[in-house]
Every structure is written in structure tokens, then in C-alpha cells.
Amino acid sequence: MSDVINLQATFIPNEGEFFRVKLALEIAIEQVVEETGCIRYEITQESEEKIVLTEQWASEEDLTRHSKGIAVQDLNESLSALLAEPVKLDRS
């Protein structure tokens, strides 16, 4: 049996873009929580300078499927001009 995968994704909005970034994440969350293997996918920290999304996946296979899925593609497209730097992923 696979070990559960824990991730934190940190998003740094461009100045003045916090609410647009948060809205894009909220839309993605609604889709992703329905994906196979998604245990947790929620915003756990937010400020004008940073939004942290905490993820938990049942397996590496589920995370891989998620990372190639339409929700992530749509999110990346929505955020392409809204972030000050690339998303930082930390695995624990």
C-alpha cells in the first residue's frame, strides 16, 4: 500500500491580484476535491502576500493523475499572469 502524499503549494500573488488568485484557487478546489485519491485540498493560510494550499493524496499515482488533469491545467492558465513567482511545492 502506498504512503499518503502531503504537499503544500505556496502562491505569491502580484501586487493587487490577491483576490483573483484566491478565486482561481477556490474554483480549482471545487473540482479537485472530487478527484480520485484526494484526501485534502484546501487553503490553509492566506494574506495579501501569500496563499498556501495544503494537499493530501492517497497515493503517488493519484497525485500524478491530478497533476496532469484538467483542473490543474485550467488553474495554471488562470494564474499565468497573476503570480509574482512560480508556485513553490513542498513535500512533507
Side-chain angles (χ1 to χ4, degrees), residues 43-70:
I43 294 172
T44 53
Q45 181 182 353
E46 62 181 87
S47 69
E48 292 284 327
E49 295 81 33
K50 173 172 79 170
I51 300 173
V52 177
L53 181 76
T54 299
E55 304 180 38
Q56 191 172 51
W57 294 93
S59 70
E60 192 69 45
E61 294 79 19
D62 294 325
L63 175 58
T64 299
R65 188 178 320 104
H66 160 71
S67 66
K68 295 177 181 177
I70 191 75

Side-chain angles (χ1 to χ4, degrees), residues 21-41:
V21 171
K22 186 175 179 192
L23 178 61
L25 288 169
E26 289 171 345
I27 291 168
I29 288 167
E30 287 180 18
Q31 297 171 338
V32 172
V33 296
E34 301 295 326
E35 292 180 14
T36 301
C38 180
I39 298 168
R40 182 179 188 195
Y41 199 83

